[in-house]
Amino acid sequence: MHEGNSAVIYDYLINRPNALDMTRFRDRHGTKDRSVLGVSAFEQSKNVRTYASYLNDKVLAFKAIRLDHVAAKNPAGSQIYAKNTTDVKFLLLEVSTVQKQLHSVLKNRFDSDTLDNETTFSAFRYCLRDMLKLFQVMNLGVMKMLKIYFEVREDDMRRSLDLYKRFVKLTDRAD
C-alpha cells in the first residue's frame, strides 16, 4: 500500500476481505517473562492485530471513496483537494471516510519497549506517517466544509458540524 501499486493491492484486498484478518494471530517468538527477552509475545501480537485492523479499515475506506489520501499527493476526484466544491455529499462522505481512517490509526498505541521488533517498528513508522497525512487531509476537509457551510442545505450543515466536532475530539486523542 505504501510503496507499490496501491490500487492493485486495494483491489486484491477488497476481493479477499479476510486477507488481513489477524484476530487469531499469536507471536510465538516472544516470552511471557518480560525480563528474559524484553517484550511479551502478547504485546507484540496485540500490536500486529491492531495494525492489521487499521489496514483493513484503510481498505474499506478506499472501497467507499476509491481514493487513497495517504499514498496520493493530490488524488484526482477528491472534493477536498478540488478548487471548487461540485459535490457536497461526496465531500462529506470523503471527510467522514478520512475521519474513520484517522480514528482507526489512532487506536494503534505503541509502547517504546515494543519498538525493538522490526515488524512493530515498521507498523509504528507507517502509522505515524499515515496519521500526519490524515490530519493534514482532515484539516483541508474541515476548512473546505467551513468555507461552504452557509451555502449548503440544512441537513448537510448538521452533518458538517457533527464531522467538525468529531474531528476536534480526534485531535485531542492524538497525544
Side-chain angles (χ1 to χ4, degrees):
M1 284 181 194
H2 291 280
E3 290 144 11
N5 185 342
S6 59
V8 172
I9 293 169
Y10 281 120
D11 287 336
Y12 176 84
L13 293 171
I14 287 168
N15 292 320
R16 289 160 187 80
N18 293 329
L20 293 172
D21 181 11
M22 298 294 240
T23 54
R24 301 177 76 193
F25 174 79
R26 301 289 179 264
D27 181 359
R28 302 200 193 299
H29 293 98
T31 178
K32 291 184 180 171
D33 181 8
R34 289 186 65 140
S35 62
V36 176
L37 291 177
V39 177
S40 73
F42 174 78
E43 291 175 73
Q44 293 295 1
S45 299
K46 181 182 71 129
N47 289 338
V48 169
R49 285 191 306 273
T50 307
Y51 183 64
S53 176
Y54 162 63
L55 291 178
N56 191 54
D57 290 343
K58 192 172 176 174
V59 169
L60 294 174
F62 183 83
K63 184 179 179 181
I65 59 174
R66 301 299 293 178
L67 297 169
D68 182 353
H69 288 287
V70 174
K73 203 169 196 164
N74 186 355
S78 170
Q79 287 294 300
I80 291 174
Y81 287 99
K83 256 188 176 179
N84 298 314
T85 304
T86 57
D87 187 348
V88 174
K89 295 286 187 200
F90 188 76
L91 172 66
L92 296 176
L93 174 64
E94 192 176 359
V95 169
S96 175
T97 303
V98 171
Q99 195 170 70
K100 288 174 189 171
Q101 273 187 272
L102 192 52
H103 175 74
S104 184
V105 77
L106 288 172
K107 289 180 186 175
N108 287 273
R109 297 287 184 179
F110 298 93
D111 185 10
S112 61
D113 294 341
T114 64
L115 297 178
D116 61 350
N117 176 301
E118 184 65 33
T119 303
T120 302
F121 185 74
S122 293
F124 169 74
R125 192 168 49 92
Y126 285 132
C127 282
L128 184 60
R129 186 181 84 175
D130 288 7
M131 181 189 67
L132 292 173
K133 179 65 177 178
L134 290 170
F135 267 116
Q136 177 188 15
V137 173
M138 277 301 302
N139 276 327
L140 291 172
V142 166
M143 287 188 310
K144 183 70 97 68
M145 287 184 333
L146 292 174
K147 185 177 178 181
I148 63 168
Y149 184 77
F150 294 106
E151 300 167 13
V152 298
R153 294 186 359 222
E154 187 177 340
D155 59 325
D156 292 335
M157 284 180 166
R158 278 195 206 100
R159 184 147 184 238
S160 295
L161 186 59
D162 183 48
L163 288 169
Y164 176 75
K165 287 177 182 178
R166 281 191 274 162
F167 176 60
V168 170
K169 288 179 184 175
L170 282 174
T171 304
D172 289 341
R173 279 189 46 210
D175 52 6

